[in-house]
Amino acid sequence: QTEDPAIAKRRAELADTLAKLQAPGITAGEAATRADSIIRNIDKLVRERQAVKLLRLSPSALNPVNWTDGLSLFRWMGAWIYDETIWRFTQPSNYDTLRNSAPLIAVLVILSGILMLRGSRWMLGMTRLLLGKAAMRGRNLISGFVSLGQGLLPCIGPVLVVAALQRSSLFGPILMELFRELPVVLLLIVAAWWLGSRVFPGQPGVESALGLAEEGRAEGRFHVVMMGVAVGLEYLVINWITPRAEDFLGGAGVMASDKAQAVAARADAAISVLQAPLQVFAGLMLFRVGQLVRRQMKIMQAQDDDAAFRLNLMRWIANVLILLGLVGPVLGLIGYVSAANALIWPAITSLGLIGIVAVLQGFVAELWVVLTRSEERRREALVPVLAGFVLTIAALPLFALIWGARREDLMELWTQFRNGFDIGGVKISPTIFLTLVVIFAIGYTVTRLVQGALKSSILPKTTLDRGGQNAIVSGIGYIGIFLSAVLAISAAGIDLSSLAIVAGALSVGVGFGLPTIVQNFVSGIILLIERPVS
């Protein structure tokens, strides 16, 4: 039958309005699809460029022809810095600036000298003073924090020296950039020293952050400090020498295309020659640390048979270190400098991160012992173990960044994690999970409080015997836990209907697989309700 004209007109108006309202959503969906496609293409290009960079074959440091480029780089760097400094010292205006800033420069130099010469002794004296007044449980915690200050306080001195040199205006931008990078290098070395002193303590009887034995600790501290030196020198090569290598070798200014390519090739050869000794040195330290950890595992296995998982994990790490210590320098000497850098330096940084996690877990354990006044071994308590687990999970993104992951990829993973994921038609996200846990915990706590109030205050004043009172308290507990679970699931927004099929299949499986347990449970509830036996 034909539709009434008024209804047809109204239907057309509604359809047109609906189409207009849906248009922005459709447009946004198309834009989002195009954006996702562009992002995927960009990610693909970035990964391809990273792969090409890793597999790029640079001039080999084993070829004596390339040594001249490395020597030329040092010669031109020295000549450039010398000319720049001489020119600065011949300018009268720089001396005027020096005279105007002389009081501030003097104060900065004096403060830096005091910190570098006396800062470590001050912190050492503070350590002795605090340890003399502290209880035995807090000694490790205090010594750890004060030893950190013992290393960091002298590092402020070079920063003040750099500020004073910058105020003097007597040094050019290239040399000042070197001066600004040197405190970072010193900080890396001091951090390695501090971390080595916590993982391989020098005092006998002091527990290692990783639980290592006392044999070979001096060797371990030496290797860790040498790793810090290697990382600091590599930092200088990457951040100070490499950006200026082409300028040093080819001169500043615009160069012709052919000359620019030749200078770029010479700079690449010079950087390969400079990095090869650092890679060999760092690889040797990795190899030696791997051997040291393997020896430690043999000693610890003979002393403690209960830490099988930790020993196996550390043995696996030791084998990886030995392998990287051999493969990395070989790749660098052949010419795969980028691949060698991608193996050696992340391995050293990962070792440092593992040590930091272990030290933080030790601090938490020591703090827990101080707060609880417990005589239990620090690393066997539940809270320190959980703290170590949380710290390890929190360090996983840092490990990913160290080994080449991009922050954009991690942010995308975090966004997907926050948005949740579907399991059997049910969307699970951190917010939903947290809501479920909190609501259930509140319901469980209220149930226990009601049970306690009934058992201690209300039921003893009734005429029920002890068996009836226990039956009521148990029944209230079952009901409270069931209602808490239902309320938590409902408050979290989980649709129970989507789990009906799973619950039905699970009930059938329980009925066939655990009939005796289910029968006994139901029989117990019937006994509590009917109470045929008192």
Side-chain angles (χ1 to χ4, degrees):
Q1 296 180 357
T2 58
E3 192 173 37
D4 184 85
I7 297 177
K9 181 180 178 182
R10 182 58 178 165
R11 186 184 301 278
E13 293 176 354
L14 292 176
D16 183 61
T17 304
L18 180 61
K20 291 180 180 179
L21 293 176
Q22 289 178 340
I26 297 173
T27 304
E30 294 175 352
T33 302
R34 288 195 301 270
D36 289 338
S37 177
I38 294 173
I39 291 173
R40 284 194 296 269
N41 291 331
I42 293 175
D43 291 339
K44 182 180 178 180
L45 290 175
V46 169
R47 293 188 180 95
E48 289 176 353
R49 290 178 181 179
Q50 289 177 344
V52 170
K53 182 180 178 180
L54 287 177
L55 299 177
R56 187 173 66 90
L57 184 62
S58 301
S60 174
L62 297 177
N63 188 356
V65 176
N66 298 322
W67 298 353
T68 58
D69 293 327
L71 295 176
S72 299
L73 177 60
F74 277 115
R75 181 168 61 87
W76 285 107
M77 283 172 57
W80 195 317
I81 293 173
Y82 176 80
D83 294 339
E84 187 180 68
T85 305
I86 292 298
W87 183 84
R88 287 270 177 170
F89 272 86
T90 57
Q91 299 299 313
S93 60
N94 292 333
Y95 287 99
D96 295 336
T97 304
L98 178 62
R99 283 192 295 268
N100 295 331
S101 304
L104 179 59
I105 293 174
V107 171
L108 293 175
V109 171
I110 293 173
L111 288 177
S112 64
I114 293 174
L115 290 176
M116 287 188 289
L117 295 177
R118 307 293 300 179
S120 181
R121 295 184 180 181
W122 288 346
M123 297 303 296
L124 183 60
M126 185 181 298
T127 302
R128 294 172 179 172
L129 178 63
L130 293 176
L131 291 181
K133 296 182 179 181
M136 183 61 66
R137 295 189 186 93
R139 295 175 66 89
N140 293 333
L141 190 64
I142 293 175
S143 64
F145 282 107
V146 177
S147 65
L148 180 61
Q150 185 179 353
L152 292 180
L153 191 60
C155 291
I156 302 176
V159 177
L160 298 179
V161 171
V162 171
L165 293 176
Q166 194 167 9
R167 292 280 182 178
S168 67
S169 300
L170 294 178
F171 300 96
I174 296 177
L175 198 56
M176 282 305 306
E177 185 66 27
L178 173 62
F179 291 152
R180 281 191 288 268
E181 300 293 352
L182 288 179
V184 180
V185 176
L186 180 61
L187 181 62
L188 291 172
I189 297 174
V190 170
W193 165 81
W194 179 81
L195 195 59
S197 65
R198 305 306 300 177
V199 178
F200 302 98
Q203 298 82 4
V206 178
E207 185 180 0
S208 168
L210 291 174
L212 301 177
E214 295 187 4
E215 289 80 358
R217 288 187 175 182
E219 181 184 357
R221 290 194 300 273
F222 173 77
H223 292 330
V224 173
V225 173
M226 290 300 102
M227 284 184 181
V229 173
V231 172
L233 295 177
E234 175 68 12
Y235 176 83
L236 273 183
V237 171
I238 296 299
N239 294 278
W240 185 65
I241 297 179
T242 302
R244 298 172 178 83
E246 295 185 10
D247 293 336
F248 285 137
L249 291 173
V254 180
M255 296 178 291
S257 177
D258 295 339
K259 183 181 178 182
Q261 292 179 0
V263 170
R266 292 185 62 195
D268 191 13
I271 296 301
S272 299
V273 171
L274 288 181
Q275 286 190 332
L278 292 177
Q279 292 172 350
V280 172
F281 179 68
L284 178 61
M285 293 300 103
L286 286 174
F287 183 82
R288 295 294 296 161
V289 169
Q291 287 184 326
L292 177 61
V293 173
R294 290 183 66 174
R295 292 199 302 268
Q296 289 280 335
M297 293 306 99
K298 293 180 180 179
I299 297 172
M300 294 170 62
Q301 190 173 11
Q303 296 176 354
D304 188 4
D305 295 334
D306 296 332
F309 174 75
R310 184 163 61 93
L311 294 178
N312 291 331
L313 179 61
M314 296 188 68
R315 186 178 294 107
W316 180 83
I317 292 175
N319 294 332
V320 172
L321 292 179
I322 292 175
L323 180 62
L324 293 179
L326 293 174
V327 174
V330 172
L331 290 176
L333 292 175
I334 292 174
Y336 293 99
V337 178
S338 299
N341 289 332
L343 292 177
I344 295 175
W345 307 115
I348 295 178
T349 310
S350 298
L351 280 181
L353 185 55
I354 291 173
I356 291 174
V357 171
V359 170
L360 292 178
Q361 196 265 346
F363 283 162
V364 173
E366 189 68 25
L367 182 62
W368 174 255
V369 171
V370 172
L371 294 177
T372 59
R373 301 179 181 273
S374 173
E375 299 295 335
E376 186 181 9
R377 290 181 61 186
R378 297 186 301 120
R379 297 185 182 277
E380 293 182 357
L382 177 61
V383 172
V385 172
L386 293 178
F389 177 75
V390 173
L391 289 172
T392 303
I393 296 299
L396 291 179
L398 297 179
F399 280 112
L401 291 174
I402 289 172
W403 287 97
R406 296 186 304 139
R407 283 181 291 181
E408 291 80 4
D409 295 335
L410 296 181
M411 293 299 296
E412 185 177 356
L413 289 176
W414 175 247
T415 302
Q416 294 177 356
F417 178 73
R418 290 184 59 186
N419 292 335
F421 48 92
D422 293 331
I423 298 179
V426 179
K427 189 174 184 180
I428 302 296
S429 66
T431 304
I432 293 175
F433 180 76
L434 183 62
T435 303
L436 190 146
V437 172
V438 170
I439 298 299
F440 181 78
I442 293 174
Y444 182 80
T445 303
V446 171
T447 300
R448 290 305 183 191
L449 291 176
V450 172
Q451 283 183 298
L454 288 174
K455 189 174 182 179
S456 60
S457 301
I458 299 175
L459 293 179
K461 298 179 181 180
T462 63
T463 58
L464 294 175
D465 57 5
R466 176 60 65 86
Q469 296 177 13
N470 290 335
I472 293 176
V473 170
S474 299
I476 292 295
Y478 289 129
I479 296 173
I481 292 175
F482 175 76
L483 292 179
S484 299
V486 174
L487 289 176
I489 294 174
S490 301
I494 299 177
D495 187 8
L496 295 178
S497 61
S498 60
L499 298 177
I501 299 177
V502 178
L506 182 62
S507 62
V508 173
V510 170
F512 280 105
L514 304 172
T516 306
I517 295 177
V518 176
Q519 181 181 0
N520 290 337
F521 179 75
V522 175
S523 300
I525 293 178
I526 293 174
L527 289 175
L528 287 175
I529 295 174
E530 296 184 355
R531 298 185 61 240
V533 178
S534 59

